[in-house]
Every structure is written in C-alpha cells, then in structure tokens.
C-alpha cells in the first residue's frame, strides 16, 4: 500500500498487524532532479519484505540550495520519527537511507543533528532514534568531487552554487565534519553502512571507502559493502528491474532483521518478477549519464 503525503510517500506492507521496521529514504538526482518517486522500486521491494519505506522529498536547485535540501530532509526525518507509529511503524526500529545526492544530503542531516544534539541545541528528532544509516553510492567529501563532477558534465560554477559557494564545501562534507567533531558527537552516531558499486563512475567507490576509514578512525561503527561490477544505478534501479533477489535489498533486509529471527523468517516474499527485458537495461546502462 502506498500513501502519498505532501512531502513524502509511504510504502506500507500489506501485513502490518505488528509494528514494522521503517526506512526513511532520501533519493538522489544530482541535487537538481531529485524526486520522492525515484524511491518507488526500493519502497515496493522493502514493503514486500515487511518494511515501511518513507520516501522523503526535498527542494532541488535552483529552487533551493544545499542548506535547504538538508533542512527539508531533516524535516522529513523528523516527521517519520515522531509520527510513523500512526502508520504501523515501529518507532524503535527506524533506519535512515540515502542514495547518490540523497546519501550526501541525508549524511549531512545526520551529522548536523548529531552536532546540535551533542551541544544541547533544540532538536525535533534525535540521532539516537536512528538504528542504522545506509549510504548508497554517495559522496561525502565535496572538496574531492568538484573537479570530478565538472568532468562528468556538472559544471563547476553550477555545482558550487548548489553548495552555497566554495566556502561552504567543508560544512557540507560529512567526512570533514566527522573529523572535526567531538567524541560526544561521534558517540551519538548509529551504525553506518556504506554501499557502492565498484564500476561507479558518477561517484567512485573510493568516496565510500575513504568515509568508512575516517569514521572508523574516530571510533564510529562503520562498514563498507562493495558490489563487484555494479555501476552508479545498477544496485538501485537495474537490479530491481531484473527481478529475482537483488543484492542491495537482501543486504538491507538481513541488517534490519539481524536480531529478529522470527520476523526474518516470516517476512519472506515471492521472488520479484522481471519488469523489463535485459536488452532494455543494457541500452539504458549505455546511454545513462549516471
């Protein structure tokens, strides 16, 4: 079942007699074409496995800049944390996930909230309400990506405008924020799982590797999951369209149900059917700018 709210879409399992785990998802879109419906495939796949998915919308450039995007995502996370029980969600099992630009935005929101919370500032949701963070194909040190994106077609001046100017790059680089954060801030962070395809040319998998290294160096719980031969969109779009059990959904499923064997066994679902022909996927992979 799908419920469309003003700023997010909810994908709810048919069987929600017991409170369900929840994934608050922030989609990608190069900070320019992001839209909550891009998470529909993921929402359907996880809802089939007993997990509620909330696909959060946010303003894109030029309607908003990175600060607006992070604020919008944070408001969406706040709504999920404070209201999901009304939709059958378990408020004690909320997970945060972002893909591509959404991974960057959601990581910024997570770190911003952790800094506020550790310094006693007013907050509308707590980092401690998030059981784990999943970052899919994301970039977490924006300094290292400006030239890369320019070469890939995202003009440097436009990207710097999106990021509120060169002087704001460190503020909106979660990797740098982590390095500069206090031990009290780091202690608040949930377990972090970064997932990346090894053939991702939009954002190299080294971006996730470096962020995991930095997180581990400061004492945070972080793990990297690499998908051999997968591109930027394979693990999020092409694999679900192929049908069958795709690696990303299986990994997320196993992490969410790691300590709930009964729920894990009962949350099985029929093998998803193929939605498009393989030649169409190969053609899309060849012409896709991502």
């Amino acid at each position: 079942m799908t419920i469309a709210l003003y700023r997010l879409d909810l994908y709810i399992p048919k069987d929600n007699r017991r409170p369900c785990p929840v994934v608050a998802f922030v989609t990608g879109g190069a900070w320019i074409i992001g839209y909550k419906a891009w998470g529909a495939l993921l929402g359907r796949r996880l809802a089939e496995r007993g997990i509620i998915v909330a696909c959060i919308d946010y303003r894109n450039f030029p309607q908003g800049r990175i600060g607006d995007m992070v604020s919008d995502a944070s408001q969406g996370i706040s709504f999920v944390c404070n209201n999901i029980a009304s939709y059958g969600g378990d408020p004690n099992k909320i997970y945060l996930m972002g893909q591509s630009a959404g991974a960057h935005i959601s990581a910024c929101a997570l770190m911003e909230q952790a800094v506020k919370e550790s310094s006693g500032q007013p907050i509308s949701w707590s980092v401690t309400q998030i059981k784990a963070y999943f970052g899919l194909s994301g970039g977490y040190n924006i300094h290292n990506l400006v030239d890369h994106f320019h070469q890939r077609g995202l003009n440097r001046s436009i990207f710097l405008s999106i990021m509120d100017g060169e002087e704001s790059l460190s503020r909106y680089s979660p990797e740098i924020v982590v390095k500069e954060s206090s031990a009290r801030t780091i202690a608040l962070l949930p377990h972090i799982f970064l997932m990346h395809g090894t053939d991702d040319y939009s954002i190299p998998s080294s971006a996730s590797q470096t962020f995991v290294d930095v997180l581990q160096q400061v004492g945070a719980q972080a793990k990297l999951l690499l998908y051999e031969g997968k591109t930027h969109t394979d693990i999020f779009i092409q694999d679900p369209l192929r049908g069958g059990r795709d690696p990303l959904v299986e990994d997320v499923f196993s992490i969410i149900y790691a300590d709930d064997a009964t729920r894990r066994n009962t949350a099985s679902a029929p093998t998803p059917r193929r939605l498009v022909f393989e030649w169409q996927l190969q053609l899309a992979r060849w012409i896709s700018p991502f």
Side-chain angles (χ1 to χ4, degrees):
M1 176 173 63
T2 305
I3 297 178
L5 304 176
Y6 174 57
R7 295 299 292 273
L8 55 80
D9 290 341
L10 291 176
Y11 296 83
I12 300 176
K14 292 180 180 178
D15 183 2
N16 59 351
R17 290 170 293 181
R18 292 174 56 191
C20 301
V22 182
V23 170
F25 179 70
V26 183
T27 189
W31 301 273
I32 297 172
I33 57 170
Y35 182 50
K36 58 184 179 177
W38 300 162
L41 270 175
L42 179 73
R44 289 179 58 184
R45 288 288 180 265
L46 291 179
E48 289 168 356
R49 309 295 289 274
I51 300 166
I52 292 176
V53 179
C55 291
I56 297 169
D57 222 354
Y58 56 88
R59 281 168 285 180
N60 289 286
F61 183 81
Q63 287 77 23
R65 302 194 182 210
I66 184 60
D68 303 311
M69 301 176 200
V70 173
S71 175
D72 291 349
S74 188
Q75 288 178 28
I77 298 165
S78 177
F79 178 89
V80 171
C81 288
N82 295 313
N83 297 279
I84 202 61
S86 300
Y87 298 91
D90 187 340
N92 297 311
K93 293 183 179 179
I94 298 174
Y95 299 78
L96 177 60
M97 179 186 293
Q99 187 265 340
S100 189
H104 168 251
I105 293 167
S106 55
C108 285
L110 184 70
M111 290 309 306
E112 183 180 272
Q113 198 72 1
V115 170
K116 286 181 178 179
E117 191 167 346
S118 64
S119 59
Q121 298 180 49
I123 55 173
S124 62
W125 60 278
S126 171
V127 175
T128 61
Q129 292 175 273
I130 307 299
K131 286 209 64 167
Y133 170 77
F134 299 102
L136 319 181
S137 310
Y140 309 97
N141 188 329
I142 300 303
H143 287 281
N144 296 341
L145 292 171
V146 176
D147 290 338
H148 174 76
F149 286 152
H150 184 75
Q151 293 169 2
R152 296 283 301 174
L154 180 51
N155 182 273
R156 180 182 289 101
S157 63
I158 293 175
F159 184 63
L160 289 177
S161 293
I162 294 171
M163 293 296 143
D164 266 341
E166 195 163 357
E167 65 277 6
S168 297
L169 294 183
S170 293
R171 177 184 175 186
Y172 294 112
S173 291
E175 183 180 305
I176 295 176
V177 176
V178 164
K179 287 180 180 179
E180 297 176 348
S181 291
S182 67
R184 187 175 179 181
T185 298
I186 300 302
L188 289 172
L189 296 179
H191 201 137
I192 293 173
F193 297 90
L194 300 186
M195 299 153 153
H196 223 119
T198 60
D199 283 1
D200 188 335
Y201 302 110
S202 295
I203 301 178
S205 59
S206 57
S208 288
Q209 177 67 72
T210 304
F211 191 30
V212 162
D213 291 342
V214 168
L215 285 162
Q216 292 175 343
Q217 288 166 11
V218 299
Q221 292 182 296
K223 182 177 180 179
L224 176 66
L225 287 79
L226 291 175
Y227 300 90
E228 195 65 35
K230 299 295 185 181
T231 67
H232 191 66
T233 57
D234 276 341
I235 61 174
F236 179 64
I237 299 176
Q238 284 94 320
D239 284 350
L241 287 172
R242 283 190 174 92
R245 300 294 189 200
D246 67 84
L248 171 65
V249 168
E250 294 305 311
D251 285 338
V252 171
F253 178 79
S254 64
I255 292 168
I256 289 178
Y257 287 120
D259 56 356
D260 191 344
T262 302
R263 196 70 178 262
R264 184 170 64 246
N265 293 333
T266 58
S268 58
T271 302
R273 64 182 181 86
R274 176 181 281 275
L275 298 177
V276 298
F277 294 114
E278 185 61 28
W279 69 264
Q280 293 172 307
L281 292 176
Q282 293 302 324
L283 177 62
R285 191 182 196 198
W286 182 61
I287 65 176
S288 170
F290 301 108

